[in-house]
Amino acid sequence: MGSTGSLNHILINAIQHLPIGIFWKDIHGQYLGCNKHCLSLFDLPSEQFIIGKTDIQLKPALKDKKLPSEELYQTDQEALIHGRTVIAKTMHMETIYGQGQFEITKIPLHNHKGSIIGLLGIAVDVSSKFRSEQKLQEKTALLNSIFDALPDFVIYKDMQGRIVECNRAALKLARKKKADVIGKTVEQLLPESTAKVSVDYDSQLKSNNKSANYKMEFELAGRQVYVDVHKHPVIQNNQLVGTVSISRDIKERLNSLEKIATLTKHDQLTQQLNRPTFLQELENINQQHDWGMILIDIKKLGKLNSQYGTEIGDKVLVYVGEMIKKMVPNSAHLARIQGDRFAILTDQVSSPNQLNYLCNKLIDRLNIQIAIQGHVIDLAICIGAANYPDTVQNTNQLLTCSEQALLRSRKHKEQSYTLFDPQLEANAEAEKRLIDDLKQAINNKAIDLYYQPVVDANSNAVLGVEALARWHHPEQGLIMPIKFIELAEKNNLIGQLGEVVLEKACQQLAQWRALDIDIFMAVNLSPIQFNDPLLISKIKHYIEYYDIPAHRLEIEVTESALMESNQTAEHMLEELIELGVRLSIDDFGTGYCSLSYLKNMPAHKLKIDKSFVDELELDKTTTAITRSVISLARELNITVTAEGVEEESQMQWLQAQQCDQFQGYLFSRPLPSDKFYLWYKQHNTTHNNITYQQPTKTAMPLQVL
C-alpha cells in the first residue's frame, strides 16, 4: 500500500505540472478536479473553486471568454454514453493568452466493476501547429494557383514514367481532362517518335541526375507544336523520385523572329532587300558565274519630296521598284540601297551587250512622265553598271565600280547610262591620291604663289601684281590651278586653299613694302569663300597682323559670282570696301552682266577678260563691247585693266581707248617672288624704254587663272 500511495503521489505531481490542461468530471458533468495548467489557462484561483461545478456554473468566472460550450458538452455525453474516447481536434477557445486552437480528448473512467463513473479530459494547445498547417495550406493553394496559371506546360512524372501531376496549360495543349492524363505515360499520349525523344531524355536524366534542354516539334490534338523543353530531376531525401518537364511553346516566337528577320532584311517601303542584306548577298555569290550589277539613281527625288511632299516621293520609289522587278530576271537580287538608289545583281544579265540592252530598256521605261495623285511627275533616272569578270576582276569590286560608273552618269547630264571602264577606276584612284596630296599641301601651306605684274597703260610703271596659286607636287611637278582648284572646289577644300593664298599674299606684300616696293596685291576670292561668316574678320586680321595698307589689297571677284551672290555676299563686299580694301570684278564680260549693274556695285576696277582682248579688231562685236565697257567705266570713275595682253597691236588699240592698266605676257609671265623682285628692279629702271616680250611660235603659253 505504501508503494501504491507513493506512486499515486508521483502521478498526481506529474499531472499537476504537465504543460497541458487535464481535468476530470463525474457522470453529471461536475468537476472533480484539474491540474494547475488548466487553472492558469482561465485565470481561476484554485482547484477547489471548480470542484462540484459544471461548465455552465463556471461561465461567470471566465469573464465572458468565448468557449465552445455546446461542443464540449456533446463530447462529454458521447464519451459517457458510448464509453469511448472522443477527440475534438480543433476546438477554438479563448484563454488568458487570447484565441487558441485546442485538441481536447475525453476519456471515460470506469470503476472496478467496469461501470462509467466519470471522464478524464485532456486539452492540448495546438495553436502553433494549427497556424503552421494553415500557412502550409495557404502556401500549397498559392503554389497550385501559380502552377495552374503558368503559361508553360508543366508535367511531373514518377520513376515509372507515369504522369503524377500536370498544370492547366498542359491539359489545354493536349485538350484533355486531368483524369484522362494522370497515371498515363507519354507513350500513351504523344506520337511515337516524339514520345521516344522524351523517354530517351528521361533515361539520360535518371542516369546522371542532370537537367536537360532540347527542342521538339510534333503534332498534338490537331495542331502543330514546337516547344523548348527543360527537364529537371526531382530529388527527395537525396533520392531521385521522378522528373519534371517544363515546356514552352516557341512557335509564335519563331514566327515573330521570322517576321523580324523579314523586316530587318527588307526595305519597308519597296519590300526589296535593304543595303546590309544586299551586301551580304553580294559577298556570298558564286564566283564561278558571270555577274552583272546595275545601280539606278532617281534624279531630283529630294526636289520631288520638297515640292510635293514625302508621300508622293514614296509613291515614286514604290513605282520605280515595281517597274524594275518587272524588267529583270526572277532570280535577280533586287535592293534599295539608298534613299533614291536601287541595285540589281544578276547572273542572267552579265555580258556588256546584255547589260546595255537592259539598261537602255530601264531608261526607256523610267525616263517618263507619270501621274500620281493628280500631279504630273517628270521621272528621270541615271544608271551605272559593271560586270564580272569582263571589266571587274573581283566580285567584291562590283558595287564600287558600279558606283563609279553611276557617278560619271550623274556628272554628264547627257549620259543616262555608263558601263564601268577599268580606266575609270585607275583615274578615280589617281584622283583620290591627288586629293589627299592636295589636302596635305594645303594643311602644310605648301601652295606657292606666282605674281603677274599689272602696269600703267601710259607710263608702263608697275602698279601691282595678281597673286596666282601654283602647286609643286613632289612627284608630278608643277600642277596648274585649272586642275587643282577644280579638285579643291569639288572636295570642299577651296575655302582653306583661298585662306592660305590670302595669308601668303599679305605676307609677301609686307616683305616687298619693307624693300620699298609700294604696289598693290590682287587676290582672287572664290564664291564659296563668301559662305564663311568669318571672312571679313580674317582679312582684317591679316591686314593688321602684316601691317599693310588696306587700299593696297585688291580682292578680285568674278562677274558670274557677283551675279549669283546673295544678300549675305553683297553685305560682305560692302564691309570689305568699308575696311578700305579695293574691289575688282574679274573676267568682266564673260558672265553677260548688264552694264547697268555697275551703277549699283561699288567696284573700283573692271578686268576685261583675255577672251575679249584676243579678238580685238578681229570681231566687230567684241571690239564694240570692249570699247563700250572702257567708256562706261571711265564715266563711272572705275579703273579698267585688260588681261591677256600679248601683242603690241592689242596694247596700242587699248591705249587709244584710254584703258588704264595692262596685264599679260607682253610684259611678264607670272613669276615666283624672287624672280619678280629682280624683274621689278630691272623694269623700274628701264620701263620708259621697255622692250616688250613677243610670244614665240613654238612655246606653249602657260594658262593664267
Side-chain angles (χ1 to χ4, degrees):
M1 289 295 291
S3 61
T4 302
S6 177
L7 180 60
N8 287 339
H9 179 73
I10 292 172
L11 288 174
I12 289 171
N13 277 323
I15 290 171
Q16 286 295 336
H17 292 89
L18 282 174
I20 58 176
I22 299 176
F23 57 90
W24 45 97
K25 297 179 179 179
D26 61 19
I27 58 175
H28 304 293
Q30 295 176 335
Y31 283 94
L32 299 174
C34 68
N35 69 348
K36 292 180 180 179
H37 187 74
C38 195
L39 293 172
S40 65
L41 284 176
F42 300 102
D43 195 22
L44 296 174
S46 67
E47 185 180 9
Q48 296 302 319
F49 182 80
I50 69 167
I51 292 174
K53 296 177 182 175
T54 64
D55 289 326
I56 294 175
Q57 292 171 329
L58 284 173
K59 191 170 184 182
L62 299 180
K63 300 177 182 177
D64 297 326
K65 289 186 171 60
K66 295 178 182 179
L67 298 175
S69 303
E70 185 63 30
E71 290 88 339
L72 289 170
Y73 176 75
Q74 288 177 359
T75 55
D76 282 356
Q77 294 304 306
E78 189 175 348
L80 293 170
I81 294 170
H82 299 287
R84 64 186 180 198
T85 300
V86 177
I87 301 174
K89 290 194 174 180
T90 54
M91 283 285 185
H92 296 273
M93 293 196 303
E94 187 176 359
T95 69
I96 62 170
Y97 305 110
Q99 286 286 348
Q101 285 73 39
F102 288 82
E103 184 177 280
I104 299 178
T105 305
K106 302 290 181 65
I107 304 170
L109 297 175
H110 300 80
N111 59 18
H112 63 281
K113 294 181 179 181
S115 299
I116 296 175
I117 59 172
L119 59 79
L120 177 70
I122 302 172
V124 180
D125 188 349
V126 294
S127 298
S128 60
K129 178 183 177 184
F130 176 80
R131 285 192 294 271
S132 297
E133 288 178 350
Q134 191 175 37
K135 287 182 180 179
L136 180 61
Q137 290 172 1
E138 291 173 355
K139 187 175 181 181
T140 302
L142 177 62
L143 291 174
N144 286 337
S145 297
I146 295 172
F147 182 67
D148 267 340
L150 287 173
D152 295 337
F153 319 129
V154 185
I155 299 173
Y156 170 46
K157 293 180 290 187
D158 62 18
M159 293 299 290
Q160 287 70 44
R162 294 186 296 262
I163 296 174
V164 177
E165 189 59 80
C166 64
N167 69 343
R168 189 176 299 158
L171 294 172
K172 186 177 179 180
L173 176 68
R175 295 182 181 173
K176 291 182 179 296
K177 296 179 180 179
K178 184 172 281 193
D180 300 328
V181 172
I182 300 301
K184 302 287 181 62
T185 63
V186 291
E187 290 97 333
Q188 295 171 295
L189 298 172
L190 296 179
E192 183 179 353
S193 58
T194 306
K196 184 178 184 307
V197 173
S198 179
V199 170
D200 288 346
Y201 275 101
D202 281 345
S203 300
Q204 177 182 323
L205 184 147
K206 290 173 184 177
S207 65
N208 58 21
N209 282 9
K210 290 183 180 179
S211 299
N213 174 232
Y214 59 94
K215 292 177 175 60
M216 275 200 310
E217 187 173 11
F218 56 92
E219 186 175 331
L220 182 64
R223 60 168 288 198
Q224 199 67 19
V225 181
Y226 192 19
V227 290
D228 185 10
V229 183
H230 290 264
K231 192 161 285 192
H232 304 278
V234 178
I235 308 294
Q236 194 173 44
N237 297 325
N238 294 325
Q239 187 73 27
L240 180 68
V241 296
T243 62
V244 63
S245 300
I246 303 173
S247 305
R248 177 165 295 179
D249 188 350
I250 58 174
K251 189 167 185 63
E252 186 174 338
R253 188 178 76 181
L254 289 176
N255 291 338
S256 298
L257 290 174
E258 289 176 3
K259 288 179 182 177
I260 291 171
T262 300
L263 291 174
T264 56
K265 289 182 179 179
H266 291 78
D267 170 56
Q268 297 309 294
L269 181 64
T270 62
Q271 302 307 310
Q272 294 187 3
L273 299 177
N274 56 24
R275 184 180 182 88
T277 310
F278 181 76
L279 294 178
Q280 189 64 45
E281 297 280 349
L282 177 60
E283 187 177 336
N284 295 331
I285 62 175
N286 188 341
Q287 299 199 11
Q288 302 303 314
H289 293 187
D290 292 353
W291 292 91
M293 180 178 286
I294 298 174
L295 298 183
I296 302 167
D297 219 7
I298 302 176
K299 294 181 179 179
K300 300 179 181 178
L301 181 63
K303 185 177 179 181
L304 289 177
N305 284 331
S306 60
Q307 186 174 355
Y308 300 113
T310 55
E311 183 180 355
I312 299 295
D314 287 349
K315 289 186 181 296
V316 170
L317 286 165
V318 171
Y319 174 82
V320 172
E322 290 174 347
M323 290 298 293
I324 293 172
K325 188 174 182 180
K326 291 177 182 177
M327 286 185 278
V328 301
N330 292 332
S331 61
H333 304 278
L334 304 182
R336 180 185 171 205
I337 60 172
Q338 275 181 227
D340 57 358
R341 187 170 299 176
F342 292 84
I344 303 168
L345 176 65
T346 174
D347 58 357
Q348 302 299 308
V349 180
S350 55
S351 70
N353 287 338
Q354 290 171 328
L355 283 170
N356 278 323
Y357 175 78
L358 180 54
C359 289
N360 286 322
K361 185 178 175 183
L362 288 164
I363 290 168
D364 290 342
R365 298 282 181 88
L366 292 173
N367 277 344
I368 58 173
Q369 285 189 334
I370 58 175
I372 297 178
Q373 293 184 355
H375 301 289
V376 177
I377 307 296
D378 289 318
L379 183 61
I381 65 165
C382 56
I383 293 176
N387 64 317
Y388 166 85
D390 289 352
T391 56
V392 178
Q393 303 304 310
N394 191 318
T395 56
N396 293 331
Q397 297 175 330
L398 270 171
L399 182 58
T400 303
C401 296
S402 299
E403 286 174 336
Q404 291 177 14
L406 179 61
L407 183 61
R408 188 174 184 84
S409 296
R410 290 173 65 94
K411 284 183 179 179
H412 301 83
K413 296 181 180 179
E414 76 286 351
Q415 187 173 333
S416 297
Y417 154 55
T418 301
L419 179 62
F420 175 75
D421 183 335
Q423 188 61 40
L424 287 175
E425 183 179 11
N427 293 343
E429 185 61 33
E431 182 173 298
K432 183 178 181 299
R433 288 196 299 269
L434 194 61
I435 292 168
D436 291 339
D437 292 343
L438 179 58
K439 286 180 182 177
Q440 186 175 358
I442 292 173
N443 290 334
N444 296 335
K445 298 183 180 180
I447 301 296
D448 297 323
L449 295 189
Y450 278 40
Y451 306 92
Q452 187 168 34
V454 178
V455 302
D456 183 85
N458 296 315
S459 68
N460 289 330
V462 179
L463 303 176
V465 294
E466 179 181 0
L468 302 168
R470 296 291 185 265
W471 178 23
H472 288 87
H473 191 277
E475 296 174 1
Q476 300 183 30
L478 181 64
I479 298 179
M480 298 301 289
I482 193 170
K483 184 172 183 180
F484 71 79
I485 286 179
E486 181 184 2
L487 276 182
E489 288 176 340
K490 287 195 305 182
N491 294 277
N492 200 29
L493 298 171
I494 193 66
Q496 300 170 50
L497 174 61
E499 192 171 335
V500 169
V501 171
L502 180 62
E503 182 179 8
K504 283 199 165 190
C506 291
Q507 183 181 27
Q508 184 62 67
L509 184 59
Q511 291 173 356
W512 283 338
R513 289 181 61 78
L515 297 172
D516 293 326
I517 301 177
D518 186 18
I519 58 177
F520 69 79
M521 175 73 72
V523 180
N524 290 279
L525 279 192
S526 163
I528 297 174
Q529 287 179 270
F530 284 102
N531 294 324
D532 181 3
L534 300 177
L535 174 64
I536 303 302
S537 61
K538 289 175 181 176
I539 293 175
K540 185 178 180 181
H541 168 73
Y542 294 140
I543 289 173
E544 293 175 350
Y545 183 81
Y546 291 108
D547 192 22
I548 57 177
H551 70 277
R552 284 309 193 187
L553 180 62
E554 193 168 281
I555 297 297
E556 294 190 3
V557 184
T558 61
E559 176 190 356
S560 57
L562 286 175
M563 292 181 66
E564 296 172 4
S565 64
N566 52 32
Q567 289 184 348
T568 303
E570 291 176 2
H571 180 66
M572 282 187 172
L573 292 174
E574 291 174 359
E575 287 190 87
L576 278 175
I577 293 172
E578 288 178 7
L579 191 62
V581 174
R582 297 179 63 82
L583 176 63
S584 173
I585 302 178
D586 198 13
D587 300 338
F588 191 82
T590 59
Y592 305 102
C593 175
S594 169
L595 296 178
S596 63
Y597 181 78
L598 292 175
K599 69 180 181 180
N600 299 318
M601 174 52 61
H604 300 96
K605 180 185 289 187
L606 299 181
K607 299 189 77 173
I608 298 174
D609 189 67
K610 181 180 184 299
S611 60
F612 283 82
V613 174
D614 287 343
E615 296 184 1
L616 288 177
E617 298 185 296
L618 299 176
D619 182 86
K620 292 182 179 180
T621 302
T622 301
T623 304
I625 292 173
T626 306
R627 184 183 292 115
S628 299
V629 169
I630 296 173
S631 176
L632 179 64
R634 291 189 65 82
E635 290 290 330
L636 296 174
N637 197 27
I638 297 175
T639 302
V640 178
T641 299
E643 291 186 296
V645 179
E646 298 182 355
E647 307 284 347
E648 282 195 59
S649 60
Q650 295 171 342
M651 179 187 69
Q652 291 167 0
W653 187 92
L654 290 164
Q655 284 174 329
Q657 305 305 316
Q658 296 184 323
C659 181
D660 299 299
Q661 299 173 1
F662 297 145
Q663 179 180 346
Y665 287 0
L666 182 62
F667 308 99
S668 174
R669 294 175 180 273
L671 300 169
S673 60
D674 55 344
K675 290 185 179 180
F676 171 79
Y677 177 76
L678 296 174
W679 179 90
Y680 177 83
K681 288 296 184 184
Q682 181 182 4
H683 179 83
N684 229 22
T685 56
T686 62
H687 70 262
N688 288 326
N689 300 306
I690 187 169
T691 301
Y692 299 112
Q693 299 181 26
Q694 300 297 327
T696 60
K697 300 296 183 181
T698 56
M700 181 68 70
L702 293 174
Q703 188 165 5
V704 180
L705 294 182

